[in-house]
Amino acid sequence: MTTTADLPVVVIGAGPAGLAAAAHLVERGIQPLVLEAGPAAASAVRDWSHVRLFSTWSEVTDPAAEKLLAPTGWTKPDATTYPSGGDWADLYLQPLADVLGDRVRVGATVTGVSRTGRDRIVDADRETQPFVVHFSTTNGGEERVFARAVIDASGTWGAPSPAGASGLPALGEKKAADRITYRVPDLKDPAVRARYAGKRTAVIGSGASAFTALATLADVAKDSPGTHAMWILRRGISGSTFGGGTADELPARGALGLAAKAAVDNGYADAVTGFRTEAIERDEDGRLVLVGEDGRRLEPVDEVIVLTGFRPDLSFLSELRLGLDERLQAPVELAPLIDPNQHSCGTVYPHGHRELSHPETGIYLVGMKSYGRAPTFLAMTGYEQVRSVTAALAGDMESADRVELTLPDTGVCGGAGLFDDPSAGEADGGGCCAPAPALVQIGATAPASSAVADDLSPSGGCCA
């Protein structure tokens, strides 16, 4: 049997965290093997190449990766500017994958991870056995590779949450798939723009992606009369609804929320609060009607954009002994630190290998995958995670336990955003508790609307 010391560390996913992990492993003299399901490195990032990050270049590159790139003549883009997803992939992530060379294998979809000769039940000699990783290839083949450790940086992009407020798809949601998207559409693409121009679109969600969709739909509305958004929120409008505003230490993140507020203020969108989607039906014209848990029905829309977050795919890890929080599906030691009911990006304590460990030694979930269903994640957090994890794998516990990260405070996190108007006005203040759920307009310029057929009953409770 090959000893584990002779084996590579398998990294699942060639995104920002996965490639950074590989760079740190190389720096530590440990051989990485990165398995990427997509046809190229950073495939998930390329899917939202049109969306601009709310972090500057200074916050989205990893120090070990920069060292690896330096001998190639790579020049870091202006640290004060904001990359799009496409910029991030083309100017940093792809060059990093190129430097790593054959250590990165694309078109390799991991289908299972286990201990060699041991399913999750067997205790005997378990920790002495190497990991075995099964993966499929684009030509339909199946392969396996053995590993001394596994770093799962596969993210959550492939598993968007549904429109249904219960966490399950709303009744009729699957049948309405032709008019539903779970990504921020690229409205600068003429074909995509034509799908939404002059139409009514429901946007379900309350994070950065929803802000982006509202802001870009508002831009379309300026040139295409009849374009209108119906913003569906499961809670009410409060002082935190639009993020940190001008108080946000990531200015572009604050501006993104303010752009969404402007879309509502200027009458390009109406906000429907306290609405929990239970069913999606078609009317006689083929348009979609959202039905709430309380039976209330919204006026028909042509399209629905569902931006309710993502969740981790844990199916291929089913033979490993993971310790996951029952709510967030994040490592149990990490979960209290990232609970979205308690924390924003800046109040999450920087963490590393200890918080990311599991009963099964040698397996780590890093990057967005480590946060499970929690949305409050920044690239800098992922880079600190992999720095600590790789130090631990190298046996450098002093470095592994050291904190080397300070995060910006305030605001709402959870992904990328578009912020074309950083000078937008500050969001209104507000109390904690939600108002009575209803269709609301924010600002005097918003015209009256009848998007909701009936008044919605109060939900009570307090906004997180």
Side-chain angles (χ1 to χ4, degrees):
M1 177 65 69
T2 303
T3 62
T4 56
D6 300 324
L7 298 173
V9 171
V10 167
V11 179
I12 305 173
L19 292 174
H24 281 273
L25 289 167
V26 169
E27 186 175 54
R28 292 280 180 176
I30 300 173
Q31 180 72 3
L33 174 60
V34 183
L35 300 177
E36 164 61 39
S43 290
V45 174
R46 295 177 193 278
D47 279 350
W48 48 269
S49 61
H50 58 290
V51 179
R52 192 169 300 280
L53 281 73
F54 49 54
S55 297
T56 63
W57 273 110
S58 66
E59 297 154 339
V60 297
T61 60
D62 176 81
E66 291 185 24
K67 291 179 184 177
L68 197 60
L69 284 164
T72 71
W74 177 81
T75 302
K76 184 174 181 176
D78 183 346
T80 65
T81 61
Y82 298 87
S84 66
D87 296 334
W88 203 15
D90 293 339
L91 303 180
Y92 168 64
L93 297 171
Q94 186 60 56
L96 179 54
D98 292 341
V99 170
L100 290 165
D102 59 8
R103 301 183 185 97
V104 179
R105 184 167 176 181
V106 300
T109 302
V110 173
T111 56
V113 183
S114 186
R115 291 281 188 179
T116 304
R118 307 287 189 274
D119 63 22
R120 68 182 296 160
I121 299 174
V122 179
D123 291 332
D125 299 324
R126 186 175 189 86
E127 292 190 4
T128 65
Q129 301 303 310
F131 290 92
V132 59
V133 180
H134 287 215
F135 59 96
S136 61
T137 59
T138 52
N139 63 5
E142 294 181 278
E143 298 184 32
R144 69 177 181 179
V145 65
F146 299 98
R148 60 187 288 185
V150 175
I151 298 175
D152 183 357
S154 59
T156 58
W157 180 251
S161 296
S166 63
L168 302 174
L171 299 178
E173 183 171 347
K174 294 180 180 178
K175 289 184 178 180
D178 61 315
R179 296 197 175 211
I180 301 176
T181 184
Y182 298 85
R183 306 288 190 269
V184 177
D186 182 2
L187 295 177
K188 292 183 178 179
D189 181 320
V192 177
R193 189 182 184 91
R195 176 174 173 176
Y196 298 92
K199 307 289 183 61
R200 287 179 57 84
T201 299
V203 177
I204 305 176
S206 59
S209 294
F211 294 166
T212 302
L214 292 168
T216 54
L217 284 170
D219 286 339
V220 173
K222 294 173 185 176
D223 301 322
S224 301
T227 305
H228 196 79
M230 186 191 310
W231 185 21
I232 313 299
L233 297 107
R234 294 171 181 170
R235 297 182 180 178
I237 298 289
S238 74
S240 63
T241 297
F242 296 98
T246 57
D248 199 317
E249 289 187 20
L250 289 179
R253 184 175 65 197
L256 175 61
L258 298 180
K261 181 178 184 297
V264 179
D265 283 350
N266 294 328
Y268 298 122
D270 298 320
V272 182
T273 64
F275 189 88
R276 297 178 178 272
T277 307
E278 183 176 73
I280 299 176
E281 301 176 355
R282 288 187 189 268
D283 68 6
E284 58 185 16
D285 296 324
R287 303 175 82 195
L288 302 183
V289 177
L290 275 59
V291 183
E293 289 181 341
D294 56 6
R296 288 170 171 80
R297 304 164 66 87
L298 303 185
E299 286 193 353
V301 295
D302 300 287
E303 300 286 343
V304 177
I305 302 174
V306 180
L307 301 168
T308 53
F310 295 84
R311 54 189 60 179
D313 178 5
L314 302 168
S315 60
F316 59 84
L317 303 176
S318 61
E319 291 306 315
L320 298 179
R321 299 174 178 180
L322 302 181
L324 298 174
D325 178 74
E326 61 186 11
R327 294 184 303 122
L328 297 182
Q329 295 180 298
V332 291
E333 295 297 323
L334 176 61
L337 305 180
I338 63 173
D339 185 342
N341 293 301
Q342 303 293 329
H343 298 283
S344 72
C345 294
T347 61
V348 174
Y349 183 81
H351 54 276
H353 73 107
R354 296 194 185 279
E355 292 85 358
L356 297 170
S357 63
H358 295 274
E360 189 86 62
T361 60
I363 173 70
Y364 297 95
L365 277 58
V366 302
M368 192 66 209
K369 180 93 174 251
S370 72
Y371 270 41
R373 299 194 183 199
T376 53
F377 191 80
L378 292 173
M380 292 183 290
T381 301
Y383 296 152
E384 173 66 4
Q385 289 178 339
V386 300
R387 184 204 63 77
S388 174
V389 165
T390 54
L393 292 174
D396 184 356
M397 303 312 293
E398 188 277 330
S399 177
D401 289 335
R402 189 171 60 242
V403 174
E404 297 183 2
L405 176 66
T406 301
L407 291 170
D409 202 0
T410 76
V412 179
C413 317
L418 185 66
F419 44 89
D420 293 328
D421 185 14
S423 62
E426 184 175 2
D428 293 340
C432 169
C433 296
L439 184 146
V440 298
Q441 289 100 11
I442 304 173
T445 60
S449 173
S450 57
V452 179
D454 300 296
D455 291 335
L456 299 175
S457 60
S459 62
C462 191
C463 294

